Amino acid sequence: MKKILITAVMILCSSLASFAYEFTPVNDNQIIQYSTELKNWRDYLSPSEDYIEFIKKVSSGTGSYSIYYSPDGKITRQIGSNFEFITLDGRLIACHNAELKLFELTVEDGKLAEKELTEDQIKELFPNVEIVKMSQFEDKKIAIGKKPFEKKEVLLLNDTKGYFHKYSFKPRSIKKTPIAGLIEIERFEQIRFSHYQDDNERFPAYTINVRLELF
Protein backbone atom coordinates (compact mmCIF):
# COMPACT_ATOMS: atom_id res chain seq x y z
CA MET A 1 0.00 0.00 0.00
CA LYS A 2 2.86 2.36 0.93
CA LYS A 3 4.58 1.66 -2.38
CA ILE A 4 1.40 2.44 -4.32
CA LEU A 5 0.98 5.72 -2.41
CA ILE A 6 4.57 6.79 -3.15
CA THR A 7 4.12 5.98 -6.83
CA ALA A 8 0.91 8.02 -6.99
CA VAL A 9 2.62 11.02 -5.36
CA MET A 10 5.51 10.81 -7.85
CA ILE A 11 3.07 10.76 -10.77
CA LEU A 12 1.21 13.73 -9.32
CA CYS A 13 4.36 15.79 -8.83
CA SER A 14 5.63 15.09 -12.31
CA SER A 15 2.27 16.01 -13.83
CA LEU A 16 2.17 19.39 -12.10
CA ALA A 17 5.02 20.80 -14.17
CA SER A 18 4.14 24.16 -15.68
CA PHE A 19 3.25 24.30 -19.36
CA ALA A 20 4.19 27.98 -19.64
CA TYR A 21 6.32 28.59 -22.71
CA GLU A 22 9.22 30.99 -22.78
CA PHE A 23 8.52 33.04 -25.87
CA THR A 24 8.30 36.75 -26.60
CA PRO A 25 4.88 37.85 -27.89
CA VAL A 26 4.94 40.49 -30.64
CA ASN A 27 2.45 43.20 -29.70
CA ASP A 28 0.73 45.96 -31.65
CA ASN A 29 3.12 48.81 -32.58
CA GLN A 30 6.11 46.72 -31.52
CA ILE A 31 9.40 46.87 -33.46
CA ILE A 32 11.26 43.62 -34.09
CA GLN A 33 14.56 43.05 -35.82
CA TYR A 34 15.88 40.37 -38.16
CA SER A 35 19.57 39.56 -38.51
CA THR A 36 20.51 38.90 -42.14
CA GLU A 37 23.73 37.27 -40.93
CA LEU A 38 22.42 35.12 -38.08
CA LYS A 39 19.05 34.48 -39.75
CA ASN A 40 17.11 35.04 -36.55
CA TRP A 41 14.79 37.50 -34.82
CA ARG A 42 14.94 39.59 -31.68
CA ASP A 43 12.91 42.20 -29.86
CA TYR A 44 14.03 45.75 -30.66
CA LEU A 45 17.27 46.73 -28.93
CA SER A 46 18.83 49.56 -30.92
CA PRO A 47 19.27 50.64 -34.57
CA SER A 48 21.82 48.45 -36.33
CA GLU A 49 23.02 48.03 -39.90
CA ASP A 50 23.11 44.28 -39.31
CA TYR A 51 19.38 44.09 -38.57
CA ILE A 52 16.28 44.78 -40.66
CA GLU A 53 13.46 46.42 -38.70
CA PHE A 54 9.76 45.64 -38.93
CA ILE A 55 6.85 47.30 -37.14
CA LYS A 56 3.74 45.30 -36.33
CA LYS A 57 0.29 46.85 -36.64
CA VAL A 58 -3.02 45.13 -35.97
CA SER A 59 -5.70 45.68 -38.59
CA SER A 60 -9.06 47.14 -37.61
CA GLY A 61 -12.23 45.06 -37.72
CA THR A 62 -13.17 41.66 -36.37
CA GLY A 63 -10.29 39.85 -38.05
CA SER A 64 -7.52 41.79 -36.29
CA TYR A 65 -4.84 40.39 -38.56
CA SER A 66 -1.20 41.41 -38.33
CA ILE A 67 0.38 43.79 -40.81
CA TYR A 68 4.13 44.39 -40.84
CA TYR A 69 5.64 47.67 -42.02
CA SER A 70 9.15 48.82 -42.76
CA PRO A 71 10.36 51.89 -40.81
CA ASP A 72 9.49 54.12 -43.77
CA GLY A 73 5.83 53.09 -43.50
CA LYS A 74 5.64 50.66 -46.42
CA ILE A 75 3.69 47.42 -45.98
CA THR A 76 6.02 44.45 -46.21
CA ARG A 77 3.42 41.78 -45.45
CA GLN A 78 -0.17 41.34 -44.33
CA ILE A 79 -0.52 37.87 -42.92
CA GLY A 80 -3.39 35.67 -41.81
CA SER A 81 -2.04 35.56 -38.28
CA ASN A 82 -3.35 37.41 -35.27
CA PHE A 83 -0.64 36.28 -32.85
CA GLU A 84 3.10 35.98 -33.35
CA PHE A 85 5.92 35.17 -30.96
CA ILE A 86 9.71 34.96 -31.00
CA THR A 87 11.19 31.73 -29.65
CA LEU A 88 14.28 31.51 -27.43
CA ASP A 89 16.37 30.51 -30.45
CA GLY A 90 15.17 33.51 -32.46
CA ARG A 91 12.45 32.06 -34.69
CA LEU A 92 9.35 34.11 -35.47
CA ILE A 93 6.21 31.96 -35.35
CA ALA A 94 2.85 33.13 -36.69
CA CYS A 95 -0.38 31.59 -35.44
CA HIS A 96 -3.17 31.56 -38.02
CA ASN A 97 -5.74 31.03 -35.31
CA ALA A 98 -8.75 31.05 -37.62
CA GLU A 99 -7.17 28.24 -39.63
CA LEU A 100 -5.59 26.35 -36.70
CA LYS A 101 -2.22 26.43 -38.45
CA LEU A 102 1.28 27.60 -37.56
CA PHE A 103 3.80 29.28 -39.84
CA GLU A 104 7.38 30.46 -39.55
CA LEU A 105 8.26 33.96 -40.77
CA THR A 106 11.59 34.67 -42.43
CA VAL A 107 12.93 37.48 -44.61
CA GLU A 108 13.48 37.14 -48.35
CA ASP A 109 14.66 40.14 -50.42
CA GLY A 110 13.85 42.45 -47.53
CA LYS A 111 10.25 41.25 -47.20
CA LEU A 112 8.52 38.82 -44.89
CA ALA A 113 7.93 35.29 -46.16
CA GLU A 114 5.74 32.62 -44.56
CA LYS A 115 6.17 28.87 -44.53
CA GLU A 116 3.71 26.50 -42.89
CA LEU A 117 5.20 24.35 -40.15
CA THR A 118 5.11 20.58 -40.46
CA GLU A 119 3.84 18.37 -37.67
CA ASP A 120 7.43 17.47 -36.71
CA GLN A 121 8.43 21.14 -36.56
CA ILE A 122 5.45 21.90 -34.32
CA LYS A 123 6.49 19.10 -31.98
CA GLU A 124 9.92 20.68 -31.73
CA LEU A 125 8.26 23.88 -30.50
CA PHE A 126 5.85 22.07 -28.16
CA PRO A 127 7.52 18.77 -27.23
CA ASN A 128 4.88 17.71 -24.69
CA VAL A 129 1.87 18.31 -26.87
CA GLU A 130 -0.44 15.69 -28.37
CA ILE A 131 -1.46 16.82 -31.84
CA VAL A 132 -5.04 16.09 -32.82
CA LYS A 133 -5.84 16.69 -36.48
CA MET A 134 -9.30 17.91 -37.41
CA SER A 135 -9.58 15.07 -39.93
CA GLN A 136 -9.41 12.61 -36.99
CA PHE A 137 -12.81 13.70 -35.70
CA GLU A 138 -15.52 11.19 -36.60
CA ASP A 139 -19.04 12.57 -36.71
CA LYS A 140 -17.50 15.71 -35.10
CA LYS A 141 -16.32 13.72 -32.07
CA ILE A 142 -13.05 12.31 -30.80
CA ALA A 143 -11.90 10.55 -27.63
CA ILE A 144 -8.46 11.10 -26.12
CA GLY A 145 -6.87 9.39 -23.14
CA LYS A 146 -5.42 11.02 -20.04
CA LYS A 147 -3.62 9.42 -17.11
CA PRO A 148 -4.71 10.10 -13.51
CA PHE A 149 -3.33 13.38 -12.10
CA GLU A 150 -1.86 14.25 -15.51
CA LYS A 151 -2.00 17.70 -17.04
CA LYS A 152 -2.23 17.00 -20.73
CA GLU A 153 -1.54 19.38 -23.59
CA VAL A 154 -3.48 18.99 -26.81
CA LEU A 155 -3.09 21.02 -29.98
CA LEU A 156 -5.84 21.00 -32.59
CA LEU A 157 -4.21 21.18 -36.01
CA ASN A 158 -6.26 21.80 -39.13
CA ASP A 159 -5.61 19.51 -42.11
CA THR A 160 -9.02 20.07 -43.70
CA LYS A 161 -10.76 22.88 -45.58
CA GLY A 162 -12.45 24.00 -42.36
CA TYR A 163 -12.25 27.58 -41.11
CA PHE A 164 -12.55 28.30 -37.40
CA HIS A 165 -12.82 32.06 -37.02
CA LYS A 166 -14.22 33.02 -33.59
CA TYR A 167 -14.27 29.42 -32.37
CA SER A 168 -13.61 28.82 -28.67
CA PHE A 169 -13.49 26.03 -26.09
CA LYS A 170 -15.88 25.22 -23.29
CA PRO A 171 -14.80 25.07 -20.51
CA ARG A 172 -12.74 28.21 -21.08
CA SER A 173 -10.33 27.35 -18.28
CA ILE A 174 -8.42 24.93 -20.53
CA LYS A 175 -7.06 27.83 -22.64
CA LYS A 176 -3.70 29.05 -21.30
CA THR A 177 -2.15 30.81 -24.30
CA PRO A 178 -3.33 32.93 -27.29
CA ILE A 179 -2.58 29.98 -29.58
CA ALA A 180 -6.10 29.01 -30.62
CA GLY A 181 -5.83 25.23 -30.80
CA LEU A 182 -3.56 24.73 -27.77
CA ILE A 183 -5.32 23.57 -24.60
CA GLU A 184 -4.33 22.11 -21.24
CA ILE A 185 -6.54 19.34 -19.87
CA GLU A 186 -6.63 18.41 -16.19
CA ARG A 187 -9.99 16.65 -15.82
CA PHE A 188 -11.89 13.79 -17.33
CA GLU A 189 -14.60 15.75 -19.05
CA GLN A 190 -16.33 16.63 -22.29
CA ILE A 191 -14.86 19.59 -24.16
CA ARG A 192 -16.76 21.52 -26.80
CA PHE A 193 -15.08 23.49 -29.59
CA SER A 194 -17.62 25.71 -31.30
CA HIS A 195 -18.56 29.07 -32.78
CA TYR A 196 -20.61 30.76 -30.02
CA GLN A 197 -22.13 27.35 -29.15
CA ASP A 198 -23.55 26.96 -32.67
CA ASP A 199 -23.76 23.56 -34.28
CA ASN A 200 -24.93 23.70 -37.87
CA GLU A 201 -23.67 23.17 -41.39
CA ARG A 202 -21.89 26.52 -41.49
CA PHE A 203 -20.50 26.35 -37.96
CA PRO A 204 -20.23 22.72 -36.84
CA ALA A 205 -19.38 22.08 -33.19
CA TYR A 206 -16.73 19.54 -32.23
CA THR A 207 -16.63 17.40 -29.09
CA ILE A 208 -13.56 16.02 -27.31
CA ASN A 209 -14.24 13.30 -24.76
CA VAL A 210 -11.40 12.93 -22.23
CA ARG A 211 -11.20 9.39 -20.92
CA LEU A 212 -9.13 7.54 -18.35
CA GLU A 213 -5.91 6.06 -19.66
CA LEU A 214 -3.85 3.88 -17.30
CA PHE A 215 -0.94 2.93 -19.56
Side-chain angles (χ1 to χ4, degrees):
M1 179 67 182
K2 184 177 180 181
K3 185 176 180 181
I4 295 174
L5 180 60
I6 293 173
T7 302
V9 171
M10 289 176 64
I11 293 172
L12 175 61
C13 292
S14 64
S15 69
L16 293 180
S18 173
F19 289 127
Y21 291 103
E22 295 186 43
F23 52 62
T24 302
V26 183
N27 300 311
D28 191 20
N29 295 315
Q30 184 172 339
I31 300 174
I32 56 176
Q33 298 173 309
Y34 180 80
S35 170
T36 54
E37 180 181 353
L38 300 176
K39 307 295 183 186
N40 63 15
W41 294 88
R42 70 180 187 184
D43 196 1
Y44 179 80
L45 295 178
S46 61
S48 172
E49 293 182 356
D50 299 326
Y51 285 84
I52 303 174
E53 294 182 6
F54 297 88
I55 305 170
K56 174 181 173 175
K57 300 283 187 180
V58 177
S59 67
S60 58
T62 58
S64 300
Y65 298 121
S66 300
I67 306 173
Y68 282 85
Y69 293 81
S70 59
D72 60 5
K74 294 181 180 179
I75 295 178
T76 62
R77 183 88 190 203
Q78 177 172 346
I79 59 179
S81 168
N82 55 6
F83 178 66
E84 301 84 51
F85 61 88
I86 301 173
T87 65
L88 287 177
D89 59 354
R91 300 169 66 191
L92 180 58
I93 306 300
C95 306
H96 287 226
N97 283 331
E99 300 175 75
L100 297 180
K101 294 182 179 181
L102 299 175
F103 292 74
E104 182 169 1
L105 295 173
T106 57
V107 176
E108 297 178 5
D109 300 323
K111 295 186 177 182
L112 285 176
E114 279 188 298
K115 186 175 182 180
E116 187 174 351
L117 294 180
T118 65
E119 186 173 340
D120 288 339
Q121 289 173 322
I122 292 172
K123 288 208 167 193
E124 288 177 6
L125 287 175
F126 308 107
N128 298 317
V129 78
E130 177 179 329
I131 292 177
V132 174
K133 297 179 181 178
M134 296 307 296
S135 63
Q136 293 178 278
F137 283 80
E138 295 184 6
D139 193 24
K140 302 182 293 184
K141 297 179 181 178
I142 195 169
I144 60 174
K146 189 185 83 67
K147 295 180 176 61
F149 310 115
E150 177 188 28
K151 285 185 179 181
K152 183 164 190 169
E153 287 179 298
V154 171
L155 176 67
L156 296 188
L157 190 63
N158 186 19
D159 59 340
T160 71
K161 295 181 180 179
Y163 191 65
F164 305 95
H165 183 54
K166 295 294 184 180
Y167 267 66
S168 62
F169 291 94
K170 187 179 180 181
R172 294 183 178 183
S173 58
I174 62 177
K175 283 293 295 135
K176 307 295 183 181
T177 76
I179 303 169
L182 183 62
I183 56 177
E184 179 185 289
I185 302 171
E186 298 184 55
R187 300 179 179 86
F188 301 102
E189 60 187 344
Q190 186 176 89
I191 297 169
R192 187 178 176 90
F193 183 56
S194 66
H195 180 275
Y196 297 108
Q197 301 304 311
D198 292 333
D199 187 13
N200 50 51
E201 186 175 352
R202 184 180 180 186
F203 298 114
Y206 297 86
T207 301
I208 301 171
N209 292 304
V210 186
R211 297 176 178 174
L212 176 64
E213 178 181 79
L214 294 178
F215 303 101

